[in-house]
Amino acid sequence: MAGLIVGWLAASPAVRAGDASAGADVFKSECAECHAVKEGRNKKGPSLFGIVGRQSGSIADYNYSDALKQAQWTWTQDKLHWYLSQPAKTANPGTKMKYDGLTDAKQLDDLLSYLSSVH
C-alpha cells in the first residue's frame, strides 16, 4: 500500500507551498508594471487573472507574440515556475516579454501561490 501512495505522489503535479499574501507583494514588485490580475485588464502584458490552468496565448483581445501563440503550453504551477525562473527570451525565444527571471525560490513559490489564488 505504501508503494502505491509513493507512486501516486510521484505522479502528482507539484503543489508549491508559497504564501499568497507575500506573493501579492512579489507580484507588485516584479509583475504589476506590465500585468494586471483583474479579469479583462490587459496592460503591456495580458491579464494574469486565472492564469493557472489557462492555455498560453489564449486571451482573445491580447496581441501575443507568435512564439507564445505557437508554444501551446498550459500554464500549470510547474510550467510557470520553469518559465519565470529564467529570462523570458530563454524560455520562449521570440517572446515580447522582457523579464530576466525570478531566482529567489521562496519569492517564486509565493508568487505562484498568489497567481493560483487569482481566479
Side-chain angles (χ1 to χ4, degrees):
M1 180 70 154
L4 290 175
I5 292 171
V6 170
W8 176 79
L9 288 173
S12 298
V15 175
R16 304 204 178 270
D19 177 341
S21 64
D25 292 334
V26 176
F27 179 84
K28 287 176 191 168
S29 68
E30 295 288 320
C31 313
E33 181 180 331
C34 298
H35 296 278
V37 290
K38 182 177 180 192
E39 186 173 18
R41 171 107 164 61
N42 298 323
K43 294 170 83 172
K44 288 181 199 176
S47 169
L48 298 182
F49 178 88
I51 184 71
V52 177
R54 187 169 77 206
Q55 186 73 28
S56 64
S58 64
I59 294 179
D61 64 343
Y62 184 77
N63 184 24
Y64 293 94
S65 66
D66 288 339
L68 194 56
K69 284 190 247 180
Q70 293 169 4
Q72 298 184 14
W73 295 327
T74 298
W75 291 121
T76 63
Q77 279 197 351
D78 283 342
K79 181 57 89 174
L80 285 163
H81 186 277
W82 170 82
Y83 187 77
L84 296 173
S85 67
Q86 61 186 310
K89 297 203 182 285
T90 300
N92 187 230
T95 188
K96 296 189 294 185
M97 185 166 156
K98 295 175 182 163
Y99 187 63
D100 291 331
L102 183 59
T103 58
D104 182 298
K106 178 171 178 357
Q107 285 187 333
L108 188 50
D109 285 348
D110 291 346
L111 175 61
L112 293 175
S113 290
Y114 173 67
L115 291 175
S116 293
S117 74
V118 181
H119 50 77

